[in-house]
């Protein structure tokens, strides 16, 4: 059974930081793409940051230079460090796994077959 459990959401002021974590189990974590996605009220879910099996990241333009994704294959975890937060970063954040791709992960949601329940992030101005 594949499980993805997120933690670390909460509230922050604009300009502040939050760190999200995701613990995965039930599949070959080290050979899978992992990603963080978000969905704001009334908007479609979008890719924020993804990382491949070699720890090569790919970021959405909206978060480049502010967010950093990392993974620990020994612990089956993937983290998202969010700095210089903006009110437009407010959303539900989801961890997801693409178990069919090793390298050059995509930001498109359709590539990811497994999802966590999400953790909410609120950024106030």
């Amino acid at each position: 059974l594949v499980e993805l459990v997120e933690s670390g959401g909460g509230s922050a002021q604009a300009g502040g930081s939050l760190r999200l974590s995701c613990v995965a189990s039930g599949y070959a974590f080290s050979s899978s793409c992992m990603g963080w996605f978000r969905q704001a009220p009334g908007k479609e879910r979008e890719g924020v940051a993804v990382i491949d099996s070699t720890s090569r990241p790919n970021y959405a333009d909206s978060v480049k230079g502010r967010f950093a994704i990392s993974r620990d294959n020994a612990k089956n975890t993937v983290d998202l460090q969010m700095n210089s937060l903006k009110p437009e970063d407010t959303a539900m954040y989801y961890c997801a796994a693409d178990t069919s791709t090793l390298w050059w992960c995509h930001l498109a949601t359709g590539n990811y077959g497994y999802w966590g329940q999400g953790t909410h992030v609120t950024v106030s101005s």
Side-chain angles (χ1 to χ4, degrees):
L1 176 65
V2 174
E3 276 197 306
L4 300 170
V5 181
E6 303 99 335
S7 62
S11 299
Q13 295 282 333
S17 299
L18 286 172
R19 188 176 183 89
L20 306 182
S21 292
C22 172
V23 180
S25 60
Y27 67 100
F29 178 86
S30 63
S31 57
S32 299
C33 278
M34 295 298 299
W36 284 97
F37 298 77
R38 67 187 181 188
Q39 187 167 18
K43 295 189 176 181
E44 292 189 355
R45 192 170 297 187
E46 62 177 0
V48 175
V50 296
I51 187 167
D52 74 8
S53 59
T54 67
S55 291
R56 177 169 40 216
N58 186 18
Y59 297 99
D61 288 343
S62 59
V63 305
K64 280 181 181 176
R66 301 189 298 121
F67 290 10
I69 189 171
S70 61
R71 67 189 296 163
D72 185 334
N73 288 338
K75 297 181 180 179
N76 281 13
T77 59
V78 57
D79 292 348
L80 184 69
Q81 177 65 43
M82 304 186 294
N83 300 324
S84 302
L85 284 163
K86 303 176 179 180
E88 51 263 44
D89 294 320
T90 296
M92 185 71 81
Y93 283 72
Y94 298 90
C95 173
D98 174 2
T99 59
S100 62
T101 304
L102 278 171
W103 307 297
W104 300 109
C105 304
H106 297 279
L107 283 164
T109 58
N111 289 65
Y112 294 77
Y114 299 100
W115 295 83
Q117 292 299 306
T119 185
H120 202 264
V121 170
T122 300
V123 183
S124 56
S125 57

